[in-house]
Structure formats: structure tokens, C-alpha cells
Amino acid sequence: MRRLVVNADDFGQSPGINAGVIRSYEQGIVTSTSLMVRWPAAEAAAEYAAARPQLSVGLHVDLAEWSRAGGDWVARYRVVDDADPVAVESEIRRQLERFRKLTGRNPTHLDGHQHVQRSGHPGRVLTELAAELGVVLRDRDPAVRYEGGFYGRTPDGPYPQGVTAGRLIEILSDLPEGTTELGCHPGLGHDVDSDYAQERALEVEALCDPQVRRAIDRLGIELVSFSEVPSPSR
């Protein structure tokens, strides 16, 4: 059996991203999303999710954002020094409490903005926190294979071919047995300062394309959410 979680990142970062995530959930194949609690649009995102308990909502830990400039990585912002273990744990737990206050529940999964959960002190803290909560830590949990091939940029710049309906169907056709998570970043408008902006609308178009839904049915793929995926620690 092939099961697929389609998780939309950055929910709550801006009204435009909220609109893209909502459309991709209501009209497309998104089953799950990750909430950024530090941003002004987080409250509206949480209000929407509260009325839809079937939508899995995780915590998208936000410690910094980096972009490429002249071949180097430059910080757009930094919330905390990721080399300071005490500061990292304090900030992550602060964001968890903010998530609980906004949503009235625990997250169904954990992850980090720009994959901060992969290493270092953020990775350690989030691994421990996922075990504490009994939830999946995205891109780190052996129960769920991560698929990041649906993305509209490469190190050389924009890559719109990476976020078409055709590309998405190619990924679906190659899914292995078991549970896979497809990461995505839908959004509408241009109300967020990020390298990844116009590609978000292309993602919405692909995620909502009827051809993609038909391919899922034809291939016998079961769409699920993170609340339906057991973590080894649960």
C-alpha cells in the first residue's frame, strides 16, 4: 500500500500564503500543514484550522531564514543563535506554547523552517520534543519517507518546471510502498519577502489540478494526514 501525506509549509506567514494553503487543501490534495506562529497571519491560520479538525496542523519552528546572494548564504533574519543550546531550546518551547495558545491543541507533527530540524541543537531539541509529544518529526522519522522533489528552485535560481502538474504526477508515479510525505509551499500574491515567491502560485495550480487527483486515484495512492501516521515514539 502507498500512503501519501501532502504537507504545506509556512501556514500563517502571510495572508497570501494562508490563501494558497487553504485553496490547496479545499480544492487540491493538501492534507496537512505546518504553522509558523511568529507571524501576524498566524492567528487567522489557526482560526481556520480550529474549525477543521480533520486538517493536520504541525509546528513549523522558525529560527531563521537564509537566502543566496552572490554565491553565499545571507541571513534575512535570525530569531536566535542556533549555536546556543539554551537559547535554541527556550525559543522552540516558546513557539510550542504559542502554537498551543493559538490552536488549543498540540501539534500533529513537528518540523523546522528551511529544514532546521536536520542537524545541530535545533535537531536535537526537536527530536526530543517529538518523542515527548509522541508525534512525527518530519524528514527525520523512519516511519515516513520525505519527498522534496516538488520544488520550484535550484541552486542556480528559479525552476518552474519543478512545480508543474506533470512533475507532480511523475513523483506520484514513482512513490514506493509505505508512507511518503510530499513537502510543498503553496501561496498566492506577493506579500512575503522571500526568494520563493512567484513559485508558490504555480504550486497551488499544480496541487489543485484535476489531473493530479485522477492520477492519485488511478495509482491507488491513499491520501492521509500526519494525525493518521503513527510515530515510533507514540
Side-chain angles (χ1 to χ4, degrees):
M1 180 179 291
R2 293 186 291 178
R3 308 173 82 209
L4 180 66
V5 178
V6 183
N7 190 84
D9 281 353
D10 306 335
F11 199 35
Q13 190 173 21
S14 75
I17 290 177
N18 285 359
V21 172
I22 289 168
R23 182 179 298 180
S24 300
Y25 170 66
E26 293 183 347
Q27 302 177 23
I29 63 170
V30 163
T31 62
S32 173
T33 189
S34 295
L35 179 65
M36 299 179 82
V37 300
R38 296 181 52 256
W39 298 79
E43 188 170 342
E47 184 177 346
Y48 175 86
R52 293 156 184 85
Q54 69 276 20
L55 174 63
S56 285
V57 183
L59 172 60
H60 198 54
V61 169
D62 179 18
L63 301 181
E65 181 168 300
W66 299 79
S67 62
R68 297 281 286 185
D72 296 320
W73 286 100
V74 177
R76 287 181 176 273
Y77 63 83
R78 297 184 73 178
V79 180
V80 68
D81 180 1
D82 62 9
D84 182 337
V86 175
V88 166
E89 180 159 8
S90 176
E91 178 60 24
I92 289 174
R93 289 192 177 273
R94 189 197 70 78
Q95 291 186 25
L96 174 61
E97 289 308 309
R98 175 64 175 161
F99 180 98
R100 287 168 168 160
K101 183 176 180 180
L102 286 170
T103 65
R105 54 176 165 164
N106 277 329
T108 58
H109 58 279
L110 298 173
D111 57 45
H113 190 46
Q114 294 189 327
H115 299 281
V116 72
Q117 75 273 23
R118 286 179 171 171
S119 62
H121 297 304
R124 175 189 57 79
V125 173
L126 283 167
T127 297
E128 293 171 356
L129 192 57
E132 179 182 318
L133 297 173
V135 299
V136 168
L137 176 58
R138 289 177 58 209
D139 198 18
R140 294 288 300 275
D141 197 313
V144 185
R145 170 184 170 270
Y146 177 74
E147 171 57 64
F150 183 66
Y151 195 63
R153 290 187 74 87
T154 71
D156 298 322
Y159 183 65
Q161 304 95 312
V163 286
T164 63
R167 172 59 182 148
L168 190 46
I169 291 170
E170 286 179 4
I171 292 171
L172 295 171
S173 299
D174 291 336
L175 286 186
E177 294 288 318
T179 303
T180 298
E181 178 226 331
L182 177 78
C184 61
H185 303 79
L188 297 172
H190 302 279
D191 58 359
V192 63
D193 181 22
S194 171
D195 288 342
Y196 203 77
Q198 62 187 25
E199 296 89 351
R200 293 178 183 270
L202 298 177
E203 289 202 19
V204 174
E205 186 177 340
L207 291 163
C208 296
D209 194 308
Q211 296 180 79
V212 173
R213 176 71 69 167
R214 287 195 292 269
I216 287 172
D217 293 341
R218 184 181 72 252
L219 294 164
I221 296 168
E222 180 187 5
L223 287 174
V224 297
S225 64
F226 274 116
S227 59
E228 301 169 82
V229 177
S231 167
S233 59
R234 185 180 299 160

